[in-house]
Amino acid sequence: MDVSVTVVSVSRPETTASVTRGAARFLTALGYAPLAEVTLPNGRRADLMALGPKGEIFIVEVKSGVEDFRTDQKWHEYLPYCDAFAFAVAPEFPREILPDEPGLIVADGFGGAILREAPVAPLAGARRKALTLAFGRLAAMRAGGAEAFTL
Amino acid sequence: MDVSVTVVSVSRPETTASVTRGAARFLTALGYAPLAEVTLPNGRRADLMALGPKGEIFIVEVKSGVEDFRTDQKWHEYLPYCDAFAFAVAPEFPREILPDEPGLIVADGFGGAILREAPVAPLAGARRKALTLAFGRLAAMRAGGAEAFTL
């Protein structure tokens, strides 16, 4: 008997979209209000930036695959703009290659789970105030239909 | 010669939508990020609530016509939630019936102009902080496609 095997490879943009959606749903379920694709004051783009009920700022960086992670290990550059930082990856991502320090979310298109809590390093008051204001203004512009990305 | 006159009466919801759109564009041109239909903690619904570049909170209440104004003169109830308050009306609105105290914007569907500056009564720090956070979270939920209205 001949066996025919079809290998479906999920392209990186599809994985990114799916993991981003699942991680956003997960954050929403935790009480956060997430915003996708936010360019920070230092020019780095956060895949998800979320505002918690007490003003906590959480940044989640989606890694679609090994190559995506290996070619961009600048995750320290997100830390000055959030209280907590986590990676979000698909279930099949080889998690052992990720650094131990940040939080870790595993997500598919429907939701996610936290595998390692994101350590909290609270922002200074003035920085938090400025980021919260900029986040609110960017979110309102988006809600009004503008294609705005930069905080 | 017979003369045929067609009277086009603009319905209230259409006027409201058009004035709201024009006032929102005007606020955006002034550097504010406006959000439409925001229900305040006291249950009043603000037609537009906008966040300025320095964190100023501006509420604009649209009055579609005389009846709309006469049946709802509770504008004082918006003041505890903003630094400045203004009415926005269509060009044909009889402006003499409006109170003198709040600001006054005249708008059509394309933009607006300020006829009277909104007097500024700055919010207390804690209230401003709480409102800014709630505004940012509501705006992000809207940007993400949620039908969220309450601050």
Side-chain angles (χ1 to χ4, degrees), chain A:
Chain A
M1 188 180 73
D2 283 347
V3 177
S4 160
V5 175
T6 307
V7 175
V8 178
S9 101
V10 178
S11 74
R12 268 182 50 182
E14 275 173 28
T15 303
T16 301
S18 148
V19 173
T20 304
R21 195 166 62 242
R25 286 184 183 183
F26 175 65
L27 287 171
T28 303
L30 289 179
Y32 284 84
L35 204 55
E37 288 190 39
V38 176
T39 302
L40 302 171
N42 66 352
R44 304 289 305 164
R45 198 200 63 178
D47 288 319
L48 289 170
M49 185 171 190
L51 203 50
K54 292 177 180 168
E56 316 92 309
I57 298 177
F58 197 174
I59 288 181
V60 175
E61 187 58 12
V62 173
K63 288 297 163 199
S64 60
V66 176
E67 191 197 352
D68 182 22
F69 176 68
R70 293 241 160 96
T71 57
D72 171 21
Q73 299 209 21
K74 296 185 176 171
W75 61 272
H76 281 102
E77 296 180 13
Y78 296 107
L79 303 185
Y81 303 99
C82 59
D83 297 297
F85 173 82
F87 283 113
V89 296
E92 60 273 17
F93 187 98
R95 299 193 283 270
E96 63 280 5
I97 71 163
L98 293 172
D100 287 337
E101 303 96 310
L104 179 57
I105 292 167
V106 171
D108 59 20
F110 302 99
I114 197 142
L115 290 201
R116 189 172 54 236
E117 287 286 343
V120 174
L123 290 164
R127 173 67 67 98
R128 178 192 308 285
K129 188 175 165 185
L131 287 172
T132 304
L133 172 58
F135 180 98
R137 284 170 50 82
L138 176 62
M141 286 184 254
R142 291 254 190 108
E147 294 207 11
F149 296 95
T150 304
L151 213 58

Side-chain angles (χ1 to χ4, degrees), chain B residues 72-143:
Chain B
D72 172 20
Q73 300 208 19
K74 295 183 174 173
W75 62 272
H76 282 100
E77 296 180 13
Y78 295 107
L79 303 186
Y81 303 99
C82 59
D83 297 298
F85 174 82
F87 283 113
V89 296
E92 60 273 18
F93 187 97
R95 300 191 284 269
E96 63 281 3
I97 72 164
L98 292 173
D100 286 337
E101 302 96 312
L104 180 56
I105 292 167
V106 171
D108 58 21
F110 302 98
I114 198 141
L115 291 201
R116 189 171 54 235
E117 287 286 342
V120 175
L123 290 164
R127 173 67 67 98
R128 178 191 309 285
K129 188 176 165 184
L131 287 172
T132 303
L133 172 58
F135 180 97
R137 284 169 51 81
L138 176 62
M141 287 184 253
R142 291 253 191 107

